[in-house]
Amino acid sequence: VTNAAILVFREGLEAVLILAAITASFVGVKRRMRRPVLVGAGLGLVASVITWVLAQTLLGSLERYGERLEAIVGLVAIGVLLLITNWFFHRVYWSEWIGKFHRRRRALERFDRVGFLSAQILGLALLGLTSVYREGFETVLFLQSLELSAGTATVLEGAGLGLAMTLAVAVVIFALERRLPYKKMLIVTGVMIGFVLVVMV
């Protein structure tokens, strides 16, 4: 339960921070641009749940492979976890990946609004969707490894706890408009992910 909660919270925290970085400049007249980004983020969450169901269906059809399947899924999850917790990758992540989102946001801000479904609205919604779904896809991958060893009920309990913590952070950032110590939170959750990684190995 703890491992699942840590994984969901860590990935959820990254998604919230990306959304906060994207929407930070949407103040005053531009505040209306926040809505399509957040709608897209909600769709990204729904897409992540659908991915979970598809992954469960796929793994269910392969359950005859037993421990071999668990080993393969575990190795893939460990590889991706090593990649995303690598310090260098995070340095590149925050400079390049977040920079990419900012460039896309600035390009979308220049579009003129035309009609109900403008290119700007669709682009901002897609930006929100991709920022959340990327983290959601990683989370689904990690949770499959835990699910094969601990069971669905245990993983869903932890995922629910992690999602609740993520939503609490999102409320503080977006509704209460409070700045949190993002870097410290990422470091602490990174250390926690390290413990999860050891357990997986």
Side-chain angles (χ1 to χ4, degrees):
V1 171
T2 303
N3 287 348
I6 289 169
L7 287 168
V8 171
F9 180 63
R10 168 65 180 209
E11 296 303 310
L13 179 61
E14 287 191 20
V16 168
L17 296 182
I18 291 168
L19 290 172
I22 291 169
T23 60
S25 65
F26 294 161
V27 292
V29 178
K30 291 183 179 180
R31 193 170 182 84
R32 64 177 176 78
M33 294 180 174
R34 287 186 179 194
R35 182 172 290 166
V37 174
L38 296 178
V39 167
L43 292 174
L45 193 58
V46 170
S48 299
V49 171
I50 292 169
T51 303
W52 165 269
V53 171
L54 292 174
Q56 288 291 292
T57 304
L58 176 64
L59 291 179
S61 69
L62 299 172
E63 66 184 351
R64 65 184 177 275
Y65 295 107
E67 290 183 347
R68 288 183 203 150
L69 177 64
E70 189 176 338
I72 291 168
V73 172
L75 285 172
V76 171
I78 288 166
V80 175
L81 265 175
L82 282 171
L83 181 66
I84 68 161
T85 54
N86 183 292
W87 178 82
F88 172 76
F89 179 76
H90 258 35
R91 187 169 177 175
V92 171
Y93 176 84
W94 287 112
S95 59
E96 296 299 324
W97 183 249
I98 299 289
K100 181 181 172 186
F101 276 107
H102 279 302
R103 287 190 296 275
R104 286 171 58 194
R105 176 189 48 82
R106 282 193 292 272
L108 289 167
E109 284 178 11
R110 289 193 292 270
F111 278 125
D112 290 327
R113 184 183 171 123
V114 180
F116 177 69
L117 287 176
S118 67
Q120 183 183 68
I121 298 296
L122 289 174
L124 290 170
L126 189 60
L127 193 61
L129 185 144
T130 53
S131 61
V132 169
Y133 183 65
R134 177 186 176 272
E135 305 302 332
F137 183 82
E138 287 177 1
T139 304
V140 167
L141 175 65
F142 304 146
L143 292 181
Q144 296 317 299
S145 178
L146 286 177
E147 194 271 338
L148 287 170
S149 59
T152 304
T154 303
V155 169
L156 287 177
E157 188 179 339
L161 181 60
L163 188 58
M165 292 188 298
T166 301
L167 291 174
V169 169
V171 165
V172 170
I173 291 172
F174 294 111
L176 302 179
E177 297 185 349
R178 296 282 185 266
R179 185 170 169 78
L180 296 174
Y182 305 132
K183 191 172 182 180
K184 289 179 184 175
M185 290 171 77
L186 285 172
I187 290 169
V188 169
T189 54
V191 170
M192 291 177 172
I193 287 279
F195 288 116
V196 174
L197 187 59
V198 168
V199 171
M200 281 182 155
V201 171

